[in-house]
Amino acid sequence: MTIQCDIAILGGGTGGYVAAIRAAQLGKEVVIIEQDKLGGTCLHRGCIPSKSLLRSAEVFAMMQDSEQYGIAADGVRLQFEQVQSRKQGIVDQLHRGVQYLMKKNKITIVRGQGRVIGPSIFSPQSGAVAVELEDGEMETVVSKNLIIATGSRPRDLPGLEADGKLVLNSDHALQLEQLPASILIVGGGVIGMEWASMLNDFGVEVTVVEAAPHILPQEDEEVARELHRLLEKRGVTIYTSASLQLDSYAPQDDQLSISLVHNEQTIELSAAKMLVSVGRRANVETIGLANTDIAIENGFIKVNDVMQTSESHIYAIGDVIGGLQLAHAASHEGITAVNHICGEPVHYEPSQVSRCVYTRPEVASVGISAAQAKEQGREIKIGKFPFKAIGKALVHGDSEGFVKVIADANSDDLLGVQIIGPQATDLISEAALAQFLDATPWEIGQTVHAHPTLAEILGEAMLAVDGKAIGM
């Protein structure tokens, strides 16, 4: 059987289903080919379930420390089964919401594994998709344009391949039925540090090993050092500039051991479980790209600034193209692709995409860091303001961290903003809007921020760029 449509989307994750909705809004007939559940990694194995667990961990930690608020909470117990049940309930609710959006926008869903095919009796050009349905039957989707949105999966570390028992990846960790007494996290990037913060709050003994000179290697070093300090203060052990000796890995029935080299010393580590968090690998191997002229670069599909591959009628978005590998980036990449297909105005600037880390405290940033600005040869000025000087942060009992603003010393352009502190992942949107509107720090500083709010810190940090902060 053959299905004809305007736009076919291979993959129904966040980027794929958002692209589908945008295409439907523009009057296009759309088909999504999805072999699993709509919502993809973000909804089922990433953003949403992990943030639900992080919220439970945050509440548990707050209850442990409730006496600072004048509240004695005796007999507080962690019921991890209920934590997992709450997580799944949230995922299921949002999954139903995505399914509703597909029906509302009259988007056809073909369930099965899709492979791109070359020129054939179905189409004179590559880009049709052969789909093996759940019942084993075959169906072909033929479209004028194809968007590839097949996402990614956790990357294995050779010699420490995840087995779901002793060695976990993030997919396995989300399905834990009980918490381990201790865990060794390999990789101090975003996912690794979120799990480190969460599991520490749940009472697990946590050790992190990172090969780079600091955790969160893609973020501002000063911010990373502050998070490192605060997590160590909570009892997390962190080794940076460290290398694991893979040949020393020794699994046992209920624990494992491995050696690492740190500061030229060999250290023996043991834990109940290991979480390998060393990035994600694009799902490109089994989707038929060999039948096309689509270029692969470093394991990811190569695209231009409007998401076109080397075959101009085929686009790719999300984790499969590398780059930021963020759900909100994938969504806007999908909108960009559809807008370009439909001749609509296109605006997508990856440098204006916020990056968020849901540790405690949170970390968020947009634009470039001071180090990156200097590498570009820019003269810069920096404004910095601490949460300790913000009344609402003190009221919340959460005043660690700061906001750092990077501006061009000659043009006053806002180059970047880094935040570590309470609600950083919500506060960063104001900075992202400022960059989108090409606002200067002075303009944001002149914006009236309500008092008392955490958002006041953005205004103060912007004024601090020129030494005019009011609160310190």
Side-chain angles (χ1 to χ4, degrees), residues 197-423:
S197 179
M198 176 209 305
L199 292 172
N200 170 263
D201 276 342
F202 278 144
V204 177
E205 181 183 333
V206 177
T207 300
V208 178
V209 177
E210 170 56 49
H214 61 81
I215 59 173
L216 302 182
Q218 304 304 315
E219 294 299 326
D220 177 83
E221 184 174 353
E222 185 179 11
V223 169
R225 286 201 310 267
E226 179 70 356
L227 181 62
H228 186 140
R229 181 185 72 83
L230 293 172
L231 287 177
E232 282 198 330
K233 184 178 178 181
R234 282 166 46 188
V236 177
T237 300
I238 302 174
Y239 296 99
T240 54
S241 298
S243 59
L244 286 174
Q245 305 301 292
L246 299 181
D247 59 358
S248 70
Y249 172 58
Q252 300 175 24
D253 290 339
D254 56 357
Q255 68 173 14
L256 56 91
S257 62
I258 194 168
S259 302
L260 67 82
V261 176
H262 180 251
N263 292 336
E264 300 183 353
Q265 293 185 329
T266 299
I267 300 171
E268 303 294 330
L269 300 175
S270 62
K273 292 191 184 295
M274 177 188 295
L275 172 62
V276 175
S277 177
V278 291
R280 297 185 65 84
R281 183 175 180 178
N283 294 324
V284 296
E285 298 89 350
T286 61
I287 60 173
L289 296 185
N291 300 320
T292 73
D293 292 326
I294 291 173
I296 303 292
E297 190 171 80
N298 298 321
F300 299 98
I301 295 176
K302 185 178 180 180
V303 297
N304 62 17
D305 59 355
V306 292
M307 308 302 139
Q308 282 175 304
T309 69
S310 45
E311 296 211 27
S312 61
H313 63 291
I314 302 179
Y315 294 67
I317 63 171
D319 284 10
V320 78
I321 67 171
L324 293 168
Q325 293 194 310
L326 301 169
H328 48 288
S331 296
H332 282 270
E333 288 161 2
I335 292 169
T336 296
V338 170
N339 282 348
H340 188 258
I341 290 169
C342 298
E344 294 289 316
V346 172
H347 178 88
Y348 175 67
E349 178 50 63
S351 67
Q352 294 177 353
V353 175
S354 302
R355 304 176 299 277
C356 299
V357 189
Y358 296 83
T359 45
R360 187 172 66 87
E362 292 184 343
V363 172
S365 61
V366 67
I368 60 177
S369 66
Q372 290 168 328
K374 290 175 182 177
E375 287 173 4
Q376 295 177 7
R378 292 177 179 268
E379 292 183 38
I380 61 172
K381 48 187 179 179
I382 299 174
K384 189 176 171 185
F385 202 87
F387 275 98
K388 290 185 185 299
I390 298 296
K392 187 67 174 291
L394 295 173
V395 168
H396 274 206
D398 192 2
S399 60
E400 298 281 8
F402 55 83
V403 171
K404 186 176 178 181
V405 177
I406 316 300
D408 189 290
N410 298 311
S411 67
D412 277 339
D413 285 344
L414 179 60
L415 302 179
V417 176
Q418 293 87 42
I419 307 175
I420 177 168
Q423 305 301 317

Side-chain angles (χ1 to χ4, degrees), residues 178-197:
Q178 60 184 27
L179 292 168
S182 58
I183 194 163
L184 170 61
I185 299 178
V186 180
V190 174
I191 296 173
M193 297 318 300
E194 287 183 352
W195 279 98
S197 179

